[in-house]
Amino acid sequence: MTRTSNSASQAMHTDFLDYGRAARLITQIGIIECLQGMTHAIEQDFMRWQDFAKSARIGNYSQDGVIELMPISDATDYAFKYVNGHPVNTRNGLPTVMAFGARASMANGMPVFLSELTLTTALRTAATSVMAARHLMRPDSRCMALIGNGSQSEFQALAFHGVLGIDTLRIHDIDEMAMRKLQKNLALYPVNVISCASIAEAVDGADIITTVTADKACATIVRADMVAPGTHINAVGGDCPGKTELEAALLDKSSVFVEFEPQTRIEGELQQMPADFSVTEFWRVLQQLSPGRQTPNQITIFDSVGFALEDYSALRYMHARAQEAGLLQQLELIPALKDPKNLFDLLNTQTTNIPASDPVLA
């Protein structure tokens, strides 16, 4: 009969990072350094794109939003993220996006790390944006228009500032309080923040346009006639079926780059384009199999819907840094059994500690 050793029993735990410890970790590291580190981690994993078993995320939709499961694996690790998108949530005091995820061993299936991903998703989304922009924007870019000033906006702003040197932000949101919130949160950073009365005003003179709007609608946030030659567009908000931000004519006049084409065809700006509309998966640019920006006047678009590989990178980065900082908790998710073939014995062990008056046993 196979039995676990004492040392194996003691090792049956899962590292856990809650949102409070994640926030403390980011504060200790420094948000700019954290964004730089996560950008590097994501780029490392995109460079080995062929190592991963990939699939589009699974979405379950309702009238008010979506709940998604995002899995990915390589020979060593399996990872997934659970995430929602409910724009109506802010009316009820809940975040639009809430997420958690896990990393497990492909060798034995043991979940080794469980983490909040609400805060971490904002970091990884911004880190992915700058990873792409570094290869697609003009090198002299210094001014970015930021359309949509909700919960993602500070992270996008600081990533472009801290990693790529953007020093001027032209911001716009239909909610003036969101703009004021963004200005207040960026006040301690050396970024010139200019509030604009319209999208057209915000994008005027911008080298980069980042769209992070939340409404679940087929909208035209940015029109083709608003965009100057040489602009790089970081389209983040159009991330589910029935939700877009860019005019189709703008995609027609641009070079479009995506994460995982089968997913982006369903969820991104591509859903409004013909099935044969040409795009480039971004990993090909990193591996120098396809060109990124080729001319100063070229308009480039990164149609970013979020992909599971980025969450895997974020999980491994946060796990390693939290381990270094001593901020991990340990959870007993998986039972350590004296006999791995005798799961029922776990019930016998537990019932000896339950009072006879327990209603289950009465």
Side-chain angles (χ1 to χ4, degrees):
M1 181 181 293
T2 303
R3 297 180 183 275
T4 57
S5 66
N6 288 337
S7 60
S9 297
Q10 293 169 0
M12 296 290 283
H13 68 261
T14 300
D15 291 337
F16 176 55
L17 185 66
D18 64 22
Y19 74 88
R21 285 175 171 79
R24 192 187 314 170
L25 176 65
I26 294 163
T27 303
Q28 286 180 6
I29 297 172
I31 188 168
I32 299 297
E33 183 180 333
C34 192
L35 285 162
Q36 291 170 338
M38 196 168 290
T39 301
H40 179 66
I42 294 170
E43 188 163 306
Q44 280 184 319
D45 289 331
F46 267 71
M47 283 291 289
R48 59 186 193 94
W49 180 266
Q50 294 91 333
D51 292 345
F52 292 91
K54 300 170 285 292
S55 62
R57 58 185 158 207
I58 303 165
N60 289 58
Y61 296 88
S62 67
Q63 180 179 345
D64 292 326
V66 61
I67 294 175
E68 297 170 330
L69 187 65
M70 303 172 64
I72 197 161
S73 65
D74 64 6
T76 303
D77 291 322
Y78 173 92
F80 76 86
K81 180 170 78 173
Y82 162 99
V83 62
N84 78 305
H86 287 74
V88 299
N89 275 3
T90 53
R91 304 174 199 166
N92 301 312
L94 291 172
T96 298
V97 175
M98 298 175 283
F100 67 89
R103 180 183 177 192
S105 167
M106 284 292 286
N108 57 25
M110 179 69 191
V112 297
F113 182 48
L114 177 66
S115 179
E116 78 78 39
L117 286 180
T118 305
L119 181 57
T120 302
T121 290
L123 288 169
R124 77 88 159 118
T125 303
T128 302
S129 294
V130 298
M131 174 192 69
R134 180 155 49 200
H135 297 268
L136 300 177
M137 71 180 195
R138 297 192 327 272
D140 61 348
S141 297
R142 291 295 176 267
C143 176
M144 181 169 81
L146 186 51
I147 313 302
N149 302 158
S151 60
Q152 294 277 334
S153 58
E154 288 85 357
F155 299 92
Q156 292 283 336
L158 291 175
F160 275 88
H161 167 66
V163 181
L164 298 180
I166 296 301
D167 56 25
T168 301
L169 286 175
R170 300 176 63 82
I171 67 172
H172 175 75
D173 196 293
I174 57 174
D175 180 357
E176 289 188 9
M177 291 189 66
M179 287 197 289
R180 288 198 290 270
K181 177 268 304 181
L182 178 58
Q183 282 190 309
K184 180 181 178 182
N185 286 339
L186 296 180
L188 296 178
Y189 298 90
V191 182
N192 180 26
V193 181
I194 303 167
S195 293
C196 300
S198 68
I199 294 171
E201 180 185 343
V203 303
D204 186 22
D207 304 306
I208 300 169
I209 300 170
T210 291
T211 56
V212 279
T213 60
D215 285 345
K216 185 182 174 184
C218 289
T220 301
I221 305 300
V222 179
R223 300 190 313 271
D225 62 6
M226 294 177 175
V227 179
T231 303
H232 171 61
I233 300 171
N234 180 40
V236 179
D239 58 357
C240 69
K243 184 182 179 188
T244 60
E245 296 178 309
L246 307 182
E247 185 181 28
L250 177 54
L251 276 73
D252 273 326
K253 64 187 289 189
S254 306
S255 299
V256 180
F257 300 82
V258 302
E259 292 140 313
F260 183 54
E261 184 178 345
Q263 181 175 302
T264 311
R265 291 278 179 194
I266 299 168
E267 300 179 353
E269 301 299 327
L270 295 188
Q271 63 189 287
Q272 59 185 317
M273 306 305 288
D276 60 352
F277 180 77
S278 179
V279 299
T280 301
E281 288 189 329
F282 185 71
W283 66 271
R284 297 185 60 85
V285 177
L286 289 178
Q287 294 187 14
Q288 298 184 346
L289 299 175
S290 298
R293 173 173 291 276
Q294 299 179 71
T295 68
N297 288 332
Q298 182 181 9
I299 297 174
T300 55
I301 296 175
F302 182 49
D303 187 1
S304 175
V305 298
F307 183 54
L309 180 55
E310 299 148 16
D311 300 306
Y312 165 72
S313 305
L315 281 165
R316 72 176 182 84
Y317 174 79
M318 293 294 280
H319 192 191
R321 297 306 300 262
Q323 214 162 25
E324 293 169 3
L327 288 174
L328 294 171
Q329 296 172 278
Q330 292 186 352
L331 300 180
E332 295 183 357
L333 285 180
I334 308 302
L337 303 172
K338 294 179 181 177
D339 176 2
K341 294 184 178 181
N342 191 1
L343 180 63
F344 195 81
D345 187 53
L346 190 66
L347 304 182
N348 295 329
T349 304
Q350 294 301 313
T351 53
T352 59
N353 299 320
I354 300 175
S357 59
D358 190 284
V360 175
L361 301 179

